[in-house]
Amino acid sequence: MVPPQSLRSLPPEGARPALGRPGGGPAAFADLTPAVESRLPQVGTTIFTVMSALAQQHGAVNLGQGFPDFDCDPRLLDAVDAAMRGGLNQYPPMAGVPALRERVAEKMAALYGHRYDPATEVTITAGATQAILTAILALIHPGDEVIVLDPSYDSYDPSIVLAGATPVHVPLTPGSFAPDFDRIAAALTPRTRAVVVNSPHNPSGTCWSEDDMLRLAELLRPTGAFVISDEVYEHMVFDGEHQSVARHPELAARSVVVSSFGKTYHVTGWKVGYAAAPAALSAEFRKVHQFNVFTVNTPMQHGIAAFMAEPSHHLGLPAFYRAKRDFFRAGLAKTRLRALPCQGTYFQCVDYSAVSDKPEADFCRWLTTEIGVAAIPLSAFYADAFEQRIARFCFGKKDETLALALDRLASL
Ligand code: PMP
Ligand code: GLN
């Protein structure tokens, strides 16, 4: 039986029945390709790729897909260059370059008060996406259930399905996007093997409070459930401190903390991240990791390790993005879009109901092709495509890019 999957990505181009005849390739050989039974029959191209392509096709300002349109600190490039030219180009240790694991452990101890052992508890990954998939494949068994809080990032569901498990979707509270602990409690069963938590949250820009973390710890106390804590936006928190699960010993003991250097250092295309977890969990994580990617590219790891030695690079990020958020929100205040609260991430959600009653996907397409600003429909982050007349913009862009987008949005 195929476990339920979300419909958050568009159906594959030229979709055919899972057991249908293959197409493509020279006609003479087509018959020789065995039929494929898809492991992910409902997955197509992600909404981020679709909207970026549409933006490019129509010359729209791309505030859809989350990535900066400015470059990283040149000192980071110099550090990677020095590593490459210094001959650091062969396989690093399987778990990652030791200096980088040490920097990650130091940073987490300094910020969250939990000292992970870099030798046994920190693993460098090919971005957060690989860390999430690897954690799920390592810890989750066929038949297990994994709780996912919607709206949720698009990679969680397919990762759970590939593990043979069932995603159990629980909505965050509509309006506030706060965790609804009564509903989470109601979704817990003896088969619940993990809960995926993401704070600061993509797409809503909300952050979990200390009280939320304490309630999660209390709820999971009688269970054997793990927490996969997606903290890729940990350094983009605008009010108060980031509530890492690492701050809460009881949660840290059952959690894999995942983060991404791509977000923190403006290099999303480098695909380097990490997973920090207690030694017993990390040992299982590494068993999968070593046959998934084995290692992550060496010079980037050395370069990031050297750059990270200066903590002001990540400590300065909230102020950097707060200024962009405030600039973008001040511009939005002059439009008919209503900006929702944004406590973290580089995403700003808007309620467009004063402008249009189109469904979200149609509105975002129209906004891209007719107004010239690309956005992502929030419904793409819900397994049931829940509609709220909300679109997500990414403000991780140059001020001039944001200004051009705001100019166009003012015409709405
Ligand atoms: N989780 C969330 C919530 C994200 O927004 C992203 C970025 N697209 C990722 C994971 C993946 O991060 P990476 O690019 O490092 O794989
Ligand atoms: N995390 C990015 C976003 O939410 C997109 C990454 C991707 O395209 N997979 O926009």
Side-chain angles (χ1 to χ4, degrees), residues 68-393:
D69 70 345
F70 44 85
D71 220 340
C72 66
D73 189 320
R75 287 168 293 182
L76 178 56
L77 300 179
D78 290 344
V80 171
D81 186 60
M84 276 188 193
R85 292 184 192 282
L88 296 169
N89 296 304
Q90 308 310 326
Y91 295 129
M94 181 270 282
V97 164
L100 184 55
R101 284 186 273 145
E102 180 57 49
R103 291 294 92 74
V104 169
E106 275 167 8
K107 183 195 78 170
M108 294 186 78
L111 294 182
Y112 311 131
H114 186 101
R115 172 83 194 171
Y116 287 91
D117 181 346
T120 57
E121 299 187 319
V122 177
T123 308
I124 307 302
T125 61
T129 310
Q130 184 233 316
I132 292 162
L133 175 63
T134 301
I136 288 171
L137 291 178
L139 302 177
I140 308 302
H141 289 256
D144 287 346
E145 293 173 358
V146 178
I147 294 180
V148 173
L149 307 176
D150 276 5
S152 60
Y153 188 58
D154 66 348
S155 84
Y156 305 154
D157 247 56
S159 301
I160 295 164
V161 170
L162 286 174
T166 303
V168 175
H169 290 273
V170 176
L172 294 165
T173 310
S176 68
F177 299 100
D180 181 337
F181 286 101
D182 292 337
R183 291 192 72 160
I184 299 173
L188 283 170
T189 76
R191 290 153 83 102
T192 307
R193 200 66 185 132
V195 181
V196 183
V197 171
N198 170 218
S199 175
H201 183 239
N202 178 8
S204 74
T206 54
C207 295
W208 282 37
S209 65
E210 183 178 7
D211 192 49
D212 291 331
M213 286 295 167
L214 295 173
R215 290 195 64 188
L216 181 70
E218 190 186 330
L219 201 62
L220 297 185
R221 196 167 296 143
T223 76
F226 302 111
V227 176
I228 315 269
S229 187
D230 180 345
E231 304 186 14
V232 298
Y233 301 104
E234 62 179 322
H235 301 300
M236 302 181 200
V237 174
F238 308 127
D239 316 301
E241 292 179 318
H242 168 55
Q243 285 297 318
S244 175
V245 290
R247 279 184 195 277
H248 302 276
E250 206 183 333
L251 284 175
R254 57 170 82 238
S255 297
V256 179
V257 181
V258 171
S259 192
S260 170
F261 298 111
K263 313 285 174 196
T264 302
Y265 296 137
H266 316 312
V267 286
T268 58
W270 288 10
K271 299 299 293 185
V272 187
Y274 59 87
L281 304 190
S282 289
E284 288 305 312
F285 182 98
R286 289 177 182 184
K287 285 185 194 172
V288 177
H289 175 78
Q290 71 178 342
F291 296 117
N292 180 352
V293 291
F294 178 52
T295 55
V296 176
N297 72 80
T298 306
M300 259 62 174
Q301 292 194 56
H302 282 284
I304 293 169
F307 191 70
M308 252 187 118
E310 178 46 75
S312 64
H313 296 138
H314 57 260
L315 296 179
L317 213 62
F320 175 81
Y321 275 121
R322 189 185 294 112
K324 291 205 176 288
R325 177 198 66 170
D326 293 347
F327 176 75
F328 190 53
R329 286 176 67 89
L332 284 176
K334 297 180 194 141
T335 73
R336 291 200 298 146
L337 301 170
R338 186 173 65 82
L340 305 188
C342 169
Q343 304 167 313
T345 75
Y346 49 33
F347 299 117
Q348 173 65 59
C349 287
V350 295
D351 178 327
Y352 63 80
S353 49
V355 174
S356 167
D357 57 8
K358 286 185 202 297
E360 291 171 5
D362 292 351
F363 177 77
C364 289
R365 276 184 171 272
W366 173 82
L367 197 68
T368 308
T369 59
E370 304 304 318
I371 305 298
V373 181
I376 303 288
L378 222 70
S379 54
F381 295 82
Y382 284 88
D384 63 358
F386 181 53
E387 286 280 343
Q388 301 165 87
R389 304 289 183 269
I390 295 177
R392 187 201 80 175
F393 291 119

Side-chain angles (χ1 to χ4, degrees), residues 21-42:
R21 290 173 74 80
F29 295 111
D31 285 348
L32 301 178
T33 305
V36 122
E37 187 178 359
S38 178
R39 298 288 313 275
L40 297 170
Q42 301 195 39

